[in-house]
Structures are given as structure tokens and as C-alpha cells.
Amino acid sequence: GNQAACVEALAKARAVCDGLPDKMPSRFSTDRAEHVSYSIATYAGGCFVELGVWKEAEQQARTAAGVHQWSPIRAAHARLDLSIALANLGSVDEAAEHGKHALAFGQDRGMGGLLVKARKLDTVLSGRYPKEPGAIEFHEQYKAITTSPTPLTP
């Protein structure tokens, strides 16, 4: 991945979004600034996870997790991005808690693309922290979902 190109693309996206009307027609009655902030942070968090820029991924994903009020599934994705960043930064317990919360949400509403990110988190937690209770709990929850006789994916 090219971090400079990613940062440039995110800046261009923010500039385009800044041109949107102040009040956006939506069922969630968010203003443009709030909508842009969450949207850009959501994509930025995922990008920085893919690039392995853990501190920036953590910061963006924490912001993006606030999107839960109008997009709970985006918030679940953001929580998994946050979890992956935290696990790579050594915050095992917090990573596992956010990850378990995201999986619990997905179980109730359909896993969709959450399993891809959950697999990445499980790989980091199980590979680096195999004896940590939080890592073990997350792995058990992930394994239960992925080995379920009824797939929880769309």
C-alpha cells in the first residue's frame, strides 16, 4: 500500500464532502460536518489498518465508531478496525472487548463483511497473545460463529 496516496485520496474525499449542503436529507438528521467526519473516519480507519499504520488506524476507528447512531453496521466494522489496530499496538484486552462487541452485533443482524475483519483480528490475537484471556474469549466467539451449522452470513 501507498500511504501517501491514501492520505491524498482521503483529503480529496474530505474536500468533495465539504461541498455538500449543510443540512443533508436523511432519516437520521445529521448535519454535513458530522456525516463527513464519520464517513471519512470510517474509510480512513479501514485504509490505515490495511496499510499497517496502527496509531492512525486507532484514531480514525475511534472516531468512526461514533457512527453507531445512524449506521450500526458501519460502527461494527469500525470497532473491528479499532480492535485490529489495538491488538497490533499491544492493547489486547481492549481489542478483544471491541471485537466481541462487534461480533455480538453481527450475530443479531447478519455478519456480512464483518467476518473478514474478525478473521484478521483473530489471527493477530491468537498469533501474538495465545494465552491472554481476552484473546482466548474472542477466538472462542469467532470459532463458534464460523463453525455454526447455520452460516450467519448473507
Side-chain angles (χ1 to χ4, degrees):
N2 183 335
Q3 184 176 349
C6 177
V7 170
E8 182 181 339
L10 290 167
K12 285 180 182 177
R14 180 173 293 281
V16 169
C17 290
D18 284 342
L20 295 171
D22 284 340
K23 292 291 180 191
M24 298 185 49
S26 104
R27 62 184 178 173
F28 303 109
S29 67
T30 58
D31 66 19
R32 179 191 46 80
E34 181 181 24
H35 187 87
V36 167
S37 175
Y38 289 139
S39 294
I40 297 297
T42 299
Y43 296 117
C47 289
F48 287 120
V49 163
E50 292 302 316
L51 289 167
V53 183
W54 307 123
K55 283 305 281 180
E56 190 66 28
E58 176 193 9
Q59 179 185 358
Q60 295 296 329
R62 282 192 192 281
T63 298
V67 77
H68 67 359
Q69 74 241 19
W70 54 268
S71 184
I73 194 69
R74 272 189 176 184
H77 280 273
R79 280 183 177 271
L80 285 170
D81 286 336
L82 176 58
S83 297
I84 294 165
L86 289 168
N88 280 285
L89 291 167
S91 297
V92 182
D93 292 335
E94 187 180 1
E97 283 306 309
H98 284 291
K100 290 186 293 186
H101 184 80
L103 286 184
F105 172 84
Q107 282 182 279
D108 291 343
R109 292 163 185 84
M111 293 305 291
L114 292 174
L115 285 179
V116 173
K117 290 183 182 195
R119 184 180 315 116
K120 288 179 184 181
L121 176 59
D122 187 55
T123 299
V124 174
L125 290 174
S126 295
R128 292 187 183 181
Y129 313 103
K131 298 197 184 301
E132 292 289 327
I136 293 167
E137 290 171 16
F138 180 83
H139 177 72
E140 289 172 357
Q141 185 178 356
Y142 173 74
K143 192 168 90 175
I145 291 169
T146 58
T147 60
S148 171
T150 341
L152 298 173
T153 57

